[in-house]
Amino acid sequence: LEVHVTAALLVTASQFAAPKAIARGQSVTLVSRSEGMEVRAPGEALADAALGARVKVRNNTSRRIVEGVAQGNGTVEVAS
């Protein structure tokens, strides 16, 4: 008689979540590129975001809310 026992493993949703690239309230740099030109502006992230995820950011200069893609270096790339 053989008895096989396997260990129970509890896996939570947080173990599958991508690490944050941007945290809510973090100061970020908004970057927009078009035809060889790059424009940068300071902003504040309005939500957490994983690398490559879309995130809303308040432009500190214009106070407008824009949406862009979270980058790994504290920048958010917005479409031009």
Short mmCIF file of all heavy atoms in Angstrom, two decimals:
data_model
loop_
_atom_site.label_atom_id
_atom_site.label_comp_id
_atom_site.label_asym_id
_atom_site.label_seq_id
_atom_site.Cartn_x
_atom_site.Cartn_y
_atom_site.Cartn_z
N LEU A 1 0.85 -1.17 0.00
CA LEU A 1 0.00 0.00 0.00
C LEU A 1 0.90 1.24 0.00
O LEU A 1 1.77 1.38 0.84
CB LEU A 1 -0.90 -0.02 1.24
CG LEU A 1 -1.76 1.21 1.46
CD1 LEU A 1 -2.86 1.28 0.40
CD2 LEU A 1 -2.35 1.16 2.84
N GLU A 2 0.67 2.11 -0.97
CA GLU A 2 1.43 3.37 -1.05
C GLU A 2 0.49 4.53 -0.74
O GLU A 2 -0.63 4.57 -1.24
CB GLU A 2 2.01 3.58 -2.45
CG GLU A 2 3.20 2.73 -2.74
CD GLU A 2 3.81 3.10 -4.07
OE1 GLU A 2 4.25 4.26 -4.22
OE2 GLU A 2 3.81 2.24 -4.95
N VAL A 3 0.96 5.46 0.04
CA VAL A 3 0.19 6.66 0.36
C VAL A 3 1.00 7.86 -0.07
O VAL A 3 2.16 8.00 0.31
CB VAL A 3 -0.14 6.75 1.87
CG1 VAL A 3 -0.89 8.03 2.17
CG2 VAL A 3 -0.92 5.53 2.31
N HIS A 4 0.41 8.71 -0.90
CA HIS A 4 1.09 9.93 -1.35
C HIS A 4 0.42 11.13 -0.71
O HIS A 4 -0.79 11.26 -0.78
CB HIS A 4 1.01 10.06 -2.88
CG HIS A 4 1.70 8.96 -3.60
ND1 HIS A 4 3.05 8.96 -3.81
CD2 HIS A 4 1.24 7.81 -4.14
CE1 HIS A 4 3.40 7.87 -4.46
NE2 HIS A 4 2.30 7.14 -4.67
N VAL A 5 1.22 11.95 -0.10
CA VAL A 5 0.70 13.15 0.55
C VAL A 5 1.34 14.35 -0.15
O VAL A 5 2.56 14.41 -0.29
CB VAL A 5 1.04 13.17 2.06
CG1 VAL A 5 0.52 14.44 2.69
CG2 VAL A 5 0.48 11.93 2.74
N THR A 6 0.52 15.25 -0.58
CA THR A 6 1.04 16.48 -1.18
C THR A 6 0.75 17.64 -0.25
O THR A 6 -0.29 17.67 0.41
CB THR A 6 0.41 16.75 -2.55
OG1 THR A 6 -1.00 16.83 -2.41
CG2 THR A 6 0.75 15.65 -3.53
N ALA A 7 1.65 18.55 -0.20
CA ALA A 7 1.48 19.73 0.66
C ALA A 7 0.48 20.68 0.02
O ALA A 7 0.49 20.89 -1.19
CB ALA A 7 2.82 20.42 0.85
N ALA A 8 -0.37 21.23 0.83
CA ALA A 8 -1.32 22.24 0.35
C ALA A 8 -0.56 23.55 0.20
O ALA A 8 0.27 23.92 1.03
CB ALA A 8 -2.45 22.40 1.34
N LEU A 9 -0.86 24.23 -0.87
CA LEU A 9 -0.18 25.50 -1.14
C LEU A 9 -1.23 26.56 -1.36
O LEU A 9 -2.08 26.43 -2.23
CB LEU A 9 0.70 25.37 -2.39
CG LEU A 9 1.45 26.61 -2.85
CD1 LEU A 9 2.43 27.07 -1.76
CD2 LEU A 9 2.21 26.32 -4.12
N LEU A 10 -1.21 27.58 -0.56
CA LEU A 10 -2.15 28.68 -0.68
C LEU A 10 -1.50 29.77 -1.52
O LEU A 10 -0.43 30.27 -1.20
CB LEU A 10 -2.52 29.23 0.70
CG LEU A 10 -3.47 30.41 0.71
CD1 LEU A 10 -4.82 30.01 0.10
CD2 LEU A 10 -3.68 30.90 2.13
N VAL A 11 -2.14 30.09 -2.62
CA VAL A 11 -1.64 31.13 -3.51
C VAL A 11 -2.64 32.27 -3.49
O VAL A 11 -3.83 32.07 -3.68
CB VAL A 11 -1.49 30.59 -4.95
CG1 VAL A 11 -0.99 31.67 -5.88
CG2 VAL A 11 -0.56 29.39 -4.95
N THR A 12 -2.14 33.47 -3.25
CA THR A 12 -3.01 34.64 -3.19
C THR A 12 -2.87 35.47 -4.46
O THR A 12 -1.86 35.39 -5.16
CB THR A 12 -2.68 35.52 -1.97
OG1 THR A 12 -1.34 36.00 -2.11
CG2 THR A 12 -2.80 34.74 -0.67
N ALA A 13 -3.88 36.28 -4.71
CA ALA A 13 -3.87 37.13 -5.91
C ALA A 13 -2.67 38.08 -5.91
O ALA A 13 -2.12 38.39 -6.97
CB ALA A 13 -5.17 37.92 -6.00
N SER A 14 -2.25 38.53 -4.74
CA SER A 14 -1.13 39.48 -4.68
C SER A 14 0.17 38.87 -5.19
O SER A 14 1.07 39.58 -5.62
CB SER A 14 -0.95 40.03 -3.27
OG SER A 14 -0.57 38.97 -2.40
N GLN A 15 0.27 37.55 -5.17
CA GLN A 15 1.47 36.90 -5.67
C GLN A 15 1.55 36.95 -7.19
O GLN A 15 2.59 36.74 -7.77
CB GLN A 15 1.54 35.46 -5.18
CG GLN A 15 1.78 35.37 -3.69
CD GLN A 15 1.65 33.97 -3.16
OE1 GLN A 15 0.64 33.33 -3.32
NE2 GLN A 15 2.71 33.49 -2.54
N PHE A 16 0.43 37.21 -7.84
CA PHE A 16 0.39 37.30 -9.29
C PHE A 16 0.44 38.74 -9.78
O PHE A 16 0.57 38.99 -10.96
CB PHE A 16 -0.87 36.63 -9.85
CG PHE A 16 -0.86 35.15 -9.67
CD1 PHE A 16 -1.66 34.55 -8.72
CD2 PHE A 16 -0.04 34.35 -10.44
CE1 PHE A 16 -1.65 33.17 -8.55
CE2 PHE A 16 -0.01 32.97 -10.28
CZ PHE A 16 -0.83 32.38 -9.33
N ALA A 17 0.29 39.70 -8.89
CA ALA A 17 0.27 41.11 -9.28
C ALA A 17 1.66 41.56 -9.70
O ALA A 17 2.66 41.20 -9.09
CB ALA A 17 -0.22 41.97 -8.12
N ALA A 18 1.70 42.33 -10.75
CA ALA A 18 2.97 42.89 -11.22
C ALA A 18 3.45 43.93 -10.21
O ALA A 18 2.65 44.64 -9.61
CB ALA A 18 2.79 43.53 -12.59
N PRO A 19 4.74 44.06 -10.01
CA PRO A 19 5.25 45.06 -9.09
C PRO A 19 4.95 46.47 -9.58
O PRO A 19 4.86 46.72 -10.78
CB PRO A 19 6.77 44.81 -9.07
CG PRO A 19 7.05 43.98 -10.25
CD PRO A 19 5.79 43.27 -10.64
N LYS A 20 4.78 47.38 -8.63
CA LYS A 20 4.46 48.77 -8.98
C LYS A 20 5.66 49.44 -9.64
O LYS A 20 6.77 49.36 -9.16
CB LYS A 20 4.11 49.57 -7.74
CG LYS A 20 2.81 49.23 -7.11
CD LYS A 20 2.61 50.14 -5.90
CE LYS A 20 1.59 49.56 -4.97
NZ LYS A 20 1.49 50.35 -3.74
N ALA A 21 5.38 50.13 -10.73
CA ALA A 21 6.39 50.99 -11.35
C ALA A 21 6.15 52.43 -10.90
O ALA A 21 7.08 53.22 -10.81
CB ALA A 21 6.31 50.90 -12.87
N ILE A 22 4.87 52.73 -10.62
CA ILE A 22 4.45 54.07 -10.20
C ILE A 22 3.51 53.90 -9.01
O ILE A 22 2.64 53.03 -9.02
CB ILE A 22 3.69 54.79 -11.34
CG1 ILE A 22 4.54 54.90 -12.61
CG2 ILE A 22 3.17 56.15 -10.89
CD1 ILE A 22 5.69 55.87 -12.54
N ALA A 23 3.67 54.73 -7.99
CA ALA A 23 2.78 54.69 -6.82
C ALA A 23 1.91 55.95 -6.80
O ALA A 23 2.36 57.03 -7.21
CB ALA A 23 3.60 54.61 -5.54
N ARG A 24 0.69 55.79 -6.32
CA ARG A 24 -0.22 56.93 -6.21
C ARG A 24 0.44 58.03 -5.37
O ARG A 24 1.05 57.75 -4.34
CB ARG A 24 -1.52 56.48 -5.54
CG ARG A 24 -2.50 57.61 -5.40
CD ARG A 24 -3.77 57.16 -4.77
NE ARG A 24 -4.68 58.29 -4.72
CZ ARG A 24 -5.85 58.26 -4.20
NH1 ARG A 24 -6.32 57.15 -3.65
NH2 ARG A 24 -6.62 59.33 -4.21
N GLY A 25 0.36 59.27 -5.86
CA GLY A 25 0.95 60.40 -5.16
C GLY A 25 2.41 60.66 -5.50
O GLY A 25 2.98 61.67 -5.13
N GLN A 26 3.02 59.73 -6.23
CA GLN A 26 4.43 59.87 -6.61
C GLN A 26 4.61 61.00 -7.61
O GLN A 26 3.80 61.19 -8.51
CB GLN A 26 4.92 58.55 -7.22
CG GLN A 26 6.35 58.59 -7.70
CD GLN A 26 6.78 57.25 -8.31
OE1 GLN A 26 6.16 56.22 -8.08
NE2 GLN A 26 7.84 57.29 -9.09
N SER A 27 5.68 61.74 -7.45
CA SER A 27 6.06 62.73 -8.46
C SER A 27 6.64 61.99 -9.65
O SER A 27 7.53 61.14 -9.47
CB SER A 27 7.10 63.71 -7.90
OG SER A 27 6.53 64.50 -6.90
N VAL A 28 6.13 62.28 -10.83
CA VAL A 28 6.59 61.61 -12.04
C VAL A 28 6.92 62.65 -13.10
O VAL A 28 6.60 63.84 -12.94
CB VAL A 28 5.52 60.63 -12.59
CG1 VAL A 28 5.23 59.52 -11.60
CG2 VAL A 28 4.24 61.37 -12.97
N THR A 29 7.56 62.20 -14.15
CA THR A 29 7.83 63.06 -15.29
C THR A 29 6.98 62.60 -16.45
O THR A 29 7.03 61.44 -16.85
CB THR A 29 9.32 63.00 -15.69
OG1 THR A 29 10.12 63.40 -14.56
CG2 THR A 29 9.62 63.91 -16.86
N LEU A 30 6.16 63.50 -16.98
CA LEU A 30 5.37 63.22 -18.17
C LEU A 30 6.27 63.43 -19.38
O LEU A 30 6.97 64.45 -19.46
CB LEU A 30 4.17 64.17 -18.25
CG LEU A 30 3.12 63.99 -17.16
CD1 LEU A 30 2.20 65.20 -17.11
CD2 LEU A 30 2.34 62.72 -17.41
N VAL A 31 6.25 62.48 -20.30
CA VAL A 31 7.09 62.57 -21.49
C VAL A 31 6.21 62.36 -22.72
O VAL A 31 5.43 61.41 -22.78
CB VAL A 31 8.21 61.51 -21.48
CG1 VAL A 31 9.05 61.61 -22.74
CG2 VAL A 31 9.08 61.67 -20.26
N SER A 32 6.34 63.27 -23.68
CA SER A 32 5.63 63.14 -24.95
C SER A 32 6.65 63.32 -26.07
O SER A 32 7.44 64.26 -26.05
CB SER A 32 4.54 64.21 -25.06
OG SER A 32 3.86 64.09 -26.29
N ARG A 33 6.64 62.37 -27.02
CA ARG A 33 7.59 62.42 -28.14
C ARG A 33 6.84 62.50 -29.46
O ARG A 33 5.83 61.83 -29.64
CB ARG A 33 8.47 61.18 -28.13
CG ARG A 33 9.35 61.07 -26.91
CD ARG A 33 10.20 59.80 -26.95
NE ARG A 33 11.04 59.70 -25.77
CZ ARG A 33 10.71 59.01 -24.69
NH1 ARG A 33 9.58 58.35 -24.64
NH2 ARG A 33 11.53 58.97 -23.66
N SER A 34 7.38 63.30 -30.36
CA SER A 34 6.78 63.42 -31.69
C SER A 34 7.81 63.93 -32.68
O SER A 34 8.42 64.98 -32.45
CB SER A 34 5.58 64.38 -31.64
OG SER A 34 5.02 64.52 -32.92
N GLU A 35 8.02 63.20 -33.73
CA GLU A 35 8.90 63.60 -34.84
C GLU A 35 10.22 64.21 -34.38
O GLU A 35 10.58 65.33 -34.73
CB GLU A 35 8.15 64.56 -35.76
CG GLU A 35 6.92 63.94 -36.39
CD GLU A 35 6.18 64.87 -37.31
OE1 GLU A 35 6.82 65.79 -37.85
OE2 GLU A 35 4.98 64.67 -37.48
N GLY A 36 10.95 63.48 -33.55
CA GLY A 36 12.28 63.92 -33.12
C GLY A 36 12.27 64.95 -32.01
O GLY A 36 13.33 65.42 -31.61
N MET A 37 11.10 65.32 -31.50
CA MET A 37 11.01 66.30 -30.42
C MET A 37 10.47 65.62 -29.17
O MET A 37 9.63 64.73 -29.25
CB MET A 37 10.08 67.44 -30.83
CG MET A 37 10.04 68.57 -29.84
SD MET A 37 9.16 70.04 -30.42
CE MET A 37 7.61 69.38 -30.94
N GLU A 38 10.97 66.03 -28.02
CA GLU A 38 10.51 65.47 -26.75
C GLU A 38 10.14 66.61 -25.81
O GLU A 38 10.89 67.57 -25.67
CB GLU A 38 11.61 64.62 -26.13
CG GLU A 38 11.24 63.98 -24.82
CD GLU A 38 12.33 63.09 -24.30
OE1 GLU A 38 12.44 61.95 -24.77
OE2 GLU A 38 13.09 63.55 -23.41
N VAL A 39 8.96 66.48 -25.17
CA VAL A 39 8.51 67.48 -24.20
C VAL A 39 8.35 66.77 -22.87
O VAL A 39 7.77 65.69 -22.80
CB VAL A 39 7.17 68.11 -24.64
CG1 VAL A 39 6.66 69.08 -23.59
CG2 VAL A 39 7.31 68.80 -25.99
N ARG A 40 8.87 67.39 -21.81
CA ARG A 40 8.77 66.83 -20.46
C ARG A 40 8.07 67.82 -19.54
O ARG A 40 8.26 69.04 -19.67
CB ARG A 40 10.16 66.53 -19.90
CG ARG A 40 10.86 65.40 -20.63
CD ARG A 40 12.27 65.17 -20.08
NE ARG A 40 12.82 63.97 -20.66
CZ ARG A 40 12.81 62.77 -20.07
NH1 ARG A 40 12.32 62.65 -18.85
NH2 ARG A 40 13.31 61.72 -20.67
N ALA A 41 7.28 67.28 -18.61
CA ALA A 41 6.59 68.12 -17.63
C ALA A 41 6.45 67.34 -16.33
O ALA A 41 6.32 66.12 -16.35
CB ALA A 41 5.22 68.52 -18.16
N PRO A 42 6.46 68.05 -15.20
CA PRO A 42 6.28 67.37 -13.92
C PRO A 42 4.82 67.01 -13.70
O PRO A 42 3.92 67.74 -14.15
CB PRO A 42 6.75 68.40 -12.90
CG PRO A 42 6.49 69.72 -13.56
CD PRO A 42 6.71 69.48 -15.03
N GLY A 43 4.59 65.89 -13.00
CA GLY A 43 3.22 65.48 -12.72
C GLY A 43 3.13 64.69 -11.44
O GLY A 43 4.15 64.37 -10.80
N GLU A 44 1.90 64.35 -11.06
CA GLU A 44 1.64 63.54 -9.87
C GLU A 44 0.73 62.38 -10.25
O GLU A 44 -0.34 62.59 -10.82
CB GLU A 44 0.96 64.38 -8.79
CG GLU A 44 0.64 63.58 -7.54
CD GLU A 44 -0.13 64.39 -6.51
OE1 GLU A 44 -0.14 65.62 -6.58
OE2 GLU A 44 -0.73 63.76 -5.63
N ALA A 45 1.17 61.16 -9.96
CA ALA A 45 0.39 59.97 -10.28
C ALA A 45 -0.88 59.94 -9.43
O ALA A 45 -0.84 60.18 -8.23
CB ALA A 45 1.22 58.72 -10.03
N LEU A 46 -2.01 59.63 -10.07
CA LEU A 46 -3.28 59.58 -9.37
C LEU A 46 -3.67 58.16 -8.98
O LEU A 46 -4.71 57.95 -8.35
CB LEU A 46 -4.38 60.22 -10.24
CG LEU A 46 -4.13 61.68 -10.59
CD1 LEU A 46 -5.26 62.22 -11.45
CD2 LEU A 46 -3.98 62.53 -9.33
N ALA A 47 -2.83 57.18 -9.33
CA ALA A 47 -3.08 55.78 -8.98
C ALA A 47 -1.78 55.01 -9.06
O ALA A 47 -0.80 55.47 -9.64
CB ALA A 47 -4.11 55.18 -9.93
N ASP A 48 -1.78 53.82 -8.47
CA ASP A 48 -0.65 52.90 -8.63
C ASP A 48 -0.69 52.34 -10.04
O ASP A 48 -1.78 52.22 -10.63
CB ASP A 48 -0.77 51.72 -7.66
CG ASP A 48 -0.65 52.12 -6.20
OD1 ASP A 48 -0.13 53.22 -5.92
OD2 ASP A 48 -1.06 51.32 -5.34
N ALA A 49 0.46 51.97 -10.58
CA ALA A 49 0.49 51.35 -11.91
C ALA A 49 1.69 50.43 -12.02
O ALA A 49 2.78 50.74 -11.55
CB ALA A 49 0.55 52.42 -13.00
N ALA A 50 1.48 49.30 -12.65
CA ALA A 50 2.56 48.37 -12.96
C ALA A 50 3.27 48.85 -14.23
O ALA A 50 2.72 49.66 -15.00
CB ALA A 50 1.99 46.97 -13.17
N LEU A 51 4.45 48.34 -14.45
CA LEU A 51 5.21 48.67 -15.65
C LEU A 51 4.37 48.36 -16.89
O LEU A 51 3.82 47.28 -17.02
CB LEU A 51 6.49 47.85 -15.67
CG LEU A 51 7.46 48.11 -16.82
CD1 LEU A 51 8.01 49.53 -16.74
CD2 LEU A 51 8.59 47.12 -16.77
N GLY A 52 4.23 49.36 -17.76
CA GLY A 52 3.48 49.18 -19.01
C GLY A 52 1.98 49.39 -18.88
O GLY A 52 1.27 49.34 -19.88
N ALA A 53 1.50 49.63 -17.67
CA ALA A 53 0.06 49.85 -17.46
C ALA A 53 -0.30 51.32 -17.67
O ALA A 53 0.54 52.21 -17.51
CB ALA A 53 -0.33 49.42 -16.06
N ARG A 54 -1.55 51.55 -18.01
CA ARG A 54 -2.02 52.93 -18.17
C ARG A 54 -2.29 53.52 -16.79
O ARG A 54 -2.75 52.83 -15.89
CB ARG A 54 -3.28 52.95 -19.03
CG ARG A 54 -2.98 52.42 -20.43
CD ARG A 54 -4.02 52.74 -21.46
NE ARG A 54 -4.13 54.15 -21.78
CZ ARG A 54 -3.28 54.84 -22.52
NH1 ARG A 54 -2.23 54.26 -23.03
NH2 ARG A 54 -3.49 56.11 -22.78
N VAL A 55 -2.01 54.82 -16.65
CA VAL A 55 -2.20 55.50 -15.37
C VAL A 55 -2.57 56.96 -15.63
O VAL A 55 -2.10 57.57 -16.59
CB VAL A 55 -0.92 55.40 -14.48
CG1 VAL A 55 0.27 56.10 -15.13
CG2 VAL A 55 -1.18 55.94 -13.09
N LYS A 56 -3.43 57.49 -14.78
CA LYS A 56 -3.80 58.91 -14.88
C LYS A 56 -2.84 59.73 -14.02
O LYS A 56 -2.47 59.32 -12.92
CB LYS A 56 -5.24 59.12 -14.43
CG LYS A 56 -6.23 58.55 -15.42
CD LYS A 56 -7.64 58.90 -15.07
CE LYS A 56 -8.55 58.31 -16.14
NZ LYS A 56 -9.94 58.62 -15.90
N VAL A 57 -2.47 60.88 -14.57
CA VAL A 57 -1.49 61.76 -13.92
C VAL A 57 -1.97 63.20 -14.03
O VAL A 57 -2.48 63.61 -15.08
CB VAL A 57 -0.10 61.63 -14.61
CG1 VAL A 57 0.91 62.60 -14.01
CG2 VAL A 57 0.41 60.20 -14.52
N ARG A 58 -1.81 63.98 -12.95
CA ARG A 58 -2.12 65.41 -13.00
C ARG A 58 -0.86 66.15 -13.38
O ARG A 58 0.18 66.03 -12.73
CB ARG A 58 -2.61 65.91 -11.64
CG ARG A 58 -2.91 67.43 -11.67
CD ARG A 58 -3.43 67.97 -10.35
NE ARG A 58 -4.70 67.36 -10.02
CZ ARG A 58 -4.89 66.53 -9.00
NH1 ARG A 58 -3.90 66.22 -8.20
NH2 ARG A 58 -6.07 66.02 -8.75
N ASN A 59 -0.93 66.91 -14.48
CA ASN A 59 0.18 67.74 -14.92
C ASN A 59 0.30 68.89 -13.93
O ASN A 59 -0.65 69.65 -13.74
CB ASN A 59 -0.10 68.26 -16.34
CG ASN A 59 1.00 69.11 -16.88
OD1 ASN A 59 1.54 69.97 -16.19
ND2 ASN A 59 1.33 68.91 -18.14
N ASN A 60 1.45 69.02 -13.26
CA ASN A 60 1.62 70.05 -12.23
C ASN A 60 1.62 71.47 -12.79
O ASN A 60 1.33 72.41 -12.07
CB ASN A 60 2.91 69.82 -11.45
CG ASN A 60 2.84 68.59 -10.56
OD1 ASN A 60 1.77 68.04 -10.31
ND2 ASN A 60 3.99 68.14 -10.10
N THR A 61 1.95 71.61 -14.06
CA THR A 61 2.00 72.94 -14.66
C THR A 61 0.62 73.40 -15.09
O THR A 61 0.18 74.49 -14.74
CB THR A 61 2.96 72.94 -15.87
OG1 THR A 61 4.24 72.47 -15.44
CG2 THR A 61 3.10 74.33 -16.46
N SER A 62 -0.09 72.57 -15.84
CA SER A 62 -1.40 72.95 -16.38
C SER A 62 -2.56 72.53 -15.49
O SER A 62 -3.68 72.99 -15.68
CB SER A 62 -1.60 72.33 -17.76
OG SER A 62 -1.75 70.92 -17.66
N ARG A 63 -2.30 71.62 -14.52
CA ARG A 63 -3.32 71.04 -13.62
C ARG A 63 -4.29 70.12 -14.37
O ARG A 63 -5.24 69.64 -13.80
CB ARG A 63 -4.10 72.12 -12.86
CG ARG A 63 -3.24 73.12 -12.11
CD ARG A 63 -2.24 72.52 -11.16
NE ARG A 63 -2.89 71.87 -10.02
CZ ARG A 63 -2.25 71.05 -9.19
NH1 ARG A 63 -0.99 70.80 -9.35
NH2 ARG A 63 -2.88 70.49 -8.19
N ARG A 64 -4.04 69.85 -15.65
CA ARG A 64 -4.88 68.94 -16.42
C ARG A 64 -4.54 67.50 -16.06
O ARG A 64 -3.41 67.18 -15.74
CB ARG A 64 -4.67 69.14 -17.92
CG ARG A 64 -5.21 70.49 -18.41
CD ARG A 64 -5.06 70.66 -19.88
NE ARG A 64 -5.86 69.63 -20.56
CZ ARG A 64 -5.80 69.38 -21.86
NH1 ARG A 64 -4.99 70.07 -22.62
NH2 ARG A 64 -6.54 68.45 -22.39
N ILE A 65 -5.55 66.62 -16.17
CA ILE A 65 -5.33 65.20 -15.93
C ILE A 65 -5.17 64.52 -17.29
O ILE A 65 -6.00 64.70 -18.19
CB ILE A 65 -6.50 64.59 -15.14
CG1 ILE A 65 -6.53 65.21 -13.74
CG2 ILE A 65 -6.36 63.06 -15.06
CD1 ILE A 65 -7.70 64.81 -12.89
N VAL A 66 -4.07 63.80 -17.42
CA VAL A 66 -3.76 63.09 -18.66
C VAL A 66 -3.56 61.61 -18.34
O VAL A 66 -3.37 61.24 -17.17
CB VAL A 66 -2.52 63.66 -19.37
CG1 VAL A 66 -2.75 65.11 -19.79
CG2 VAL A 66 -1.29 63.55 -18.48
N GLU A 67 -3.59 60.78 -19.36
CA GLU A 67 -3.36 59.36 -19.16
C GLU A 67 -2.19 58.93 -20.01
O GLU A 67 -2.05 59.37 -21.16
CB GLU A 67 -4.61 58.57 -19.55
CG GLU A 67 -4.52 57.10 -19.22
CD GLU A 67 -5.81 56.37 -19.50
OE1 GLU A 67 -6.06 56.04 -20.66
OE2 GLU A 67 -6.56 56.16 -18.53
N GLY A 68 -1.35 58.09 -19.44
CA GLY A 68 -0.19 57.61 -20.18
C GLY A 68 0.21 56.23 -19.71
O GLY A 68 -0.49 55.60 -18.92
N VAL A 69 1.36 55.77 -20.18
CA VAL A 69 1.86 54.43 -19.88
C VAL A 69 3.02 54.54 -18.88
O VAL A 69 3.97 55.28 -19.12
CB VAL A 69 2.31 53.71 -21.17
CG1 VAL A 69 2.89 52.34 -20.84
CG2 VAL A 69 1.14 53.59 -22.14
N ALA A 70 2.92 53.80 -17.78
CA ALA A 70 3.95 53.82 -16.74
C ALA A 70 5.24 53.20 -17.25
O ALA A 70 5.23 52.10 -17.80
CB ALA A 70 3.45 53.07 -15.51
N GLN A 71 6.33 53.90 -17.05
CA GLN A 71 7.66 53.42 -17.41
C GLN A 71 8.40 53.07 -16.12
O GLN A 71 8.00 53.47 -15.04
CB GLN A 71 8.43 54.49 -18.18
CG GLN A 71 7.71 55.00 -19.41
CD GLN A 71 7.49 53.92 -20.45
OE1 GLN A 71 8.42 53.25 -20.85
NE2 GLN A 71 6.25 53.75 -20.88
N GLY A 72 9.47 52.34 -16.21
CA GLY A 72 10.18 51.87 -15.03
C GLY A 72 11.04 52.90 -14.33
O GLY A 72 11.54 52.66 -13.26
N ASN A 73 11.19 54.06 -14.88
CA ASN A 73 12.12 55.04 -14.31
C ASN A 73 11.41 56.29 -13.80
O ASN A 73 11.96 57.38 -13.83
CB ASN A 73 13.17 55.42 -15.35
CG ASN A 73 12.54 55.88 -16.66
OD1 ASN A 73 11.32 55.89 -16.77
ND2 ASN A 73 13.35 56.25 -17.61
N GLY A 74 10.16 56.13 -13.33
CA GLY A 74 9.44 57.28 -12.78
C GLY A 74 8.87 58.20 -13.84
O GLY A 74 8.54 59.35 -13.56
N THR A 75 8.78 57.72 -15.06
CA THR A 75 8.19 58.52 -16.13
C THR A 75 6.89 57.89 -16.60
O THR A 75 6.66 56.69 -16.45
CB THR A 75 9.13 58.69 -17.34
OG1 THR A 75 9.37 57.41 -17.91
CG2 THR A 75 10.43 59.33 -16.95
N VAL A 76 6.04 58.72 -17.14
CA VAL A 76 4.79 58.29 -17.76
C VAL A 76 4.78 58.84 -19.16
O VAL A 76 4.87 60.06 -19.36
CB VAL A 76 3.56 58.79 -16.96
CG1 VAL A 76 2.27 58.43 -17.68
CG2 VAL A 76 3.58 58.21 -15.55
N GLU A 77 4.73 57.96 -20.15
CA GLU A 77 4.75 58.38 -21.54
C GLU A 77 3.33 58.61 -22.02
O GLU A 77 2.48 57.72 -21.92
CB GLU A 77 5.45 57.33 -22.41
CG GLU A 77 5.70 57.84 -23.81
CD GLU A 77 6.76 57.05 -24.54
OE1 GLU A 77 7.57 56.36 -23.89
OE2 GLU A 77 6.76 57.14 -25.76
N VAL A 78 3.08 59.82 -22.51
CA VAL A 78 1.74 60.17 -23.01
C VAL A 78 1.80 60.29 -24.54
O VAL A 78 2.83 60.64 -25.11
CB VAL A 78 1.23 61.48 -22.39
CG1 VAL A 78 1.02 61.31 -20.89
CG2 VAL A 78 2.16 62.64 -22.63
N ALA A 79 0.67 59.98 -25.16
CA ALA A 79 0.60 60.07 -26.62
C ALA A 79 0.64 61.53 -27.02
O ALA A 79 0.09 62.40 -26.36
CB ALA A 79 -0.68 59.43 -27.13
N SER A 80 1.32 61.81 -28.13
CA SER A 80 1.41 63.20 -28.60
C SER A 80 0.27 63.52 -29.53
O SER A 80 -0.45 62.71 -30.01
CB SER A 80 2.74 63.43 -29.29
OG SER A 80 2.96 62.45 -30.28
#
